[in-house]
C-alpha cells in the first residue's frame, strides 16, 4: 500500500498515488493478503497453498478484498460510482483487469507490465516468474488472460507493456492482446495501448503520459 505514496523502483517519480492525487483523483490502494502490513497473516506461498487446498486461489481472495474496497470507496461522499477506475502495475495490473472484468460498475481499467497469454508463458517456462498468488486452476486450456480482459469491453481499457519485460514478451503479449482487440472490434477507440519495444518491467514516461490522457475523461 505504501508504494502509491512512497514509490518503488519500477514506478516513476513522483509516486503514482501522489501524482494521481495532484491531478485531482481520489486514490485508494487496499493492502493485499500476504503483502505490506498484512504479512502477519502469512506469506504469499503459505496463503496460496492454504487457499488452493480449499479450492480458492489467493487471487480470488484478493479480488474479494478489491471489491470490498470498491464498495467502501463508493460510499464516500463525493464519489460517483460511475467514475471509478482501476490501475496497477505487475500484480496490481493483474488485479486491475480481473477486478474490472468481474465488476461491471468499474468505469475504466488501466494496467501496466503484466498482460500476457499464460499458455504462451508456460510454453517457454516464463510463467514461473509470476507469483503463486496468480495461479487459477482450470482456467486453461479453454480460457486465458486475454479472455478475462475481453470481458471489460466495451468499457475503456488501457494496456501498457514492454517487450523486454520477461512477463510481457512480445510472443506472449500478442495472443492476449489479439483476443482483447477482437472484443473491442465495435469500440476500437476505447482500447488504448502503449508499447515500449525496449521497455522492461517498469513504468515509463510514455506510459505515464498515455495514462494521464486515458484517465482524463473521468
Amino acid at each position: 500500500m505504501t508504494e502509491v505514496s512512497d514509490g518503488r523502483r519500477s514506478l516513476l517519480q513522483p509516486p503514482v498515488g501522489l501524482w494521481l492525487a495532484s491531478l485531482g483523483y481520489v486514490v485508494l490502494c487496499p493492502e493485499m493478503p500476504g503483502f505490506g502490513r498484512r504479512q502477519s497473516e502469512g506469506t504469499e506461498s503459505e496463503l496460496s497453498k492454504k487457499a488452493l487446498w480449499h479450492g480458492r486461489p489467493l487471487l480470488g481472495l484478493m479480488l474479494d478484498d478489491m471489491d470490498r474496497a470498491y464498495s467502501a470507496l463508493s460510499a464516500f461522499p463525493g464519489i460517483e460510482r460511475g467514475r471509478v477506475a482501476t490501475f496497477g502495475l505487475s500484480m496490481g495490473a493483474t488485479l486491475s483487469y480481473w477486478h474490472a472484468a468481474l465488476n461491471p460498475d468499474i468505469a475504466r481499467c488501466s494496467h501496466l507490465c503484466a498482460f500476457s497469454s499464460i499458455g504462451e508463458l508456460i510454453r517457454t517456462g516464463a510463467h514461473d516468474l509470476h507469483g503463486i498468488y496468480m495461479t487459477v486452476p482450470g482456467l486453461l486450456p479453454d480460457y486465458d488472460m486475454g479472455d478475462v480482459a475481453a470481458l471489460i469491453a466495451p468499457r475503456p481499457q488501457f494496456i501498457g507493456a514492454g517487450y523486454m519485460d520477461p512477463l510481457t514478451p512480445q510472443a506472449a503479449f500478442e495472443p492476449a492482446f489479439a483476443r482483447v482487440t477482437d472484443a473491442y472490434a465495435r469500440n476500437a477507440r476505447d482500447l488504448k495501448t502503449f508499447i515500449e519495444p525496449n521497455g522492461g518491467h517498469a513504468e515509463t514516461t510514455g506510459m505515464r503520459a498515455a495514462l494521464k490522457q486515458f484517465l482524463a475523461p473521468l
Side-chain angles (χ1 to χ4, degrees):
M1 182 176 69
T2 57
E3 292 176 355
V4 295
S5 57
D6 298 343
R8 57 180 286 185
R9 288 193 301 175
S10 56
L11 289 168
L12 299 175
Q13 290 293 330
V16 66
L18 300 182
W19 173 70
L20 287 170
S22 74
L23 297 176
Y25 299 104
V26 174
V27 180
L28 175 63
C29 180
E31 200 86 273
M32 291 291 101
F35 293 86
R37 288 178 289 186
R38 295 185 66 181
Q39 293 181 59
S40 60
E41 298 175 21
T43 65
E44 177 190 355
S45 176
E46 178 186 355
L47 293 173
S48 293
K49 292 171 183 176
K50 176 182 177 181
L52 288 170
W53 275 113
H54 289 279
R56 299 180 300 173
L58 183 57
L59 178 62
L61 300 180
M62 290 177 167
L63 289 168
D64 183 62
D65 278 3
M66 289 280 288
D67 209 49
R68 292 170 187 268
Y70 168 78
S71 296
L73 177 65
S74 299
F76 270 73
I79 300 296
E80 298 180 34
R81 292 180 70 92
R83 299 178 64 190
V84 176
T86 58
F87 166 75
L89 178 142
S90 194
M91 182 177 78
T94 302
L95 292 170
S96 177
Y97 69 81
W98 271 81
H99 185 212
L102 294 170
N103 187 338
D105 291 332
I106 298 297
R108 287 175 175 254
C109 172
S110 49
H111 49 98
L112 310 177
C113 305
F115 187 58
S116 286
S117 162
I118 297 299
E120 181 60 28
L121 291 179
I122 289 174
R123 190 186 68 79
T124 63
H127 67 289
D128 198 35
L129 296 173
H130 280 290
I132 192 173
Y133 83 92
M134 193 176 178
T135 306
V136 182
L139 183 65
L140 301 177
D142 295 328
Y143 304 100
D144 208 316
M145 295 307 200
D147 297 288
V148 176
L151 295 174
I152 300 168
R155 289 168 290 156
Q157 182 173 180
F158 171 72
I159 303 172
Y163 283 159
M164 294 298 105
D165 181 350
L167 297 183
T168 61
Q170 187 172 358
F173 177 85
E174 289 185 343
F177 184 62
R179 176 66 186 91
V180 176
T181 301
D182 288 343
Y184 281 87
R186 295 183 179 180
N187 308 86
R189 66 180 183 179
D190 289 318
L191 178 61
K192 306 294 184 182
T193 59
F194 192 90
I195 307 300
E196 294 277 11
N198 298 313
H201 194 66
E203 180 191 15
T204 66
T205 55
M207 289 178 186
R208 181 163 287 197
L211 176 64
K212 180 179 180 181
Q213 184 177 18
F214 174 76
L215 294 176
L218 290 173

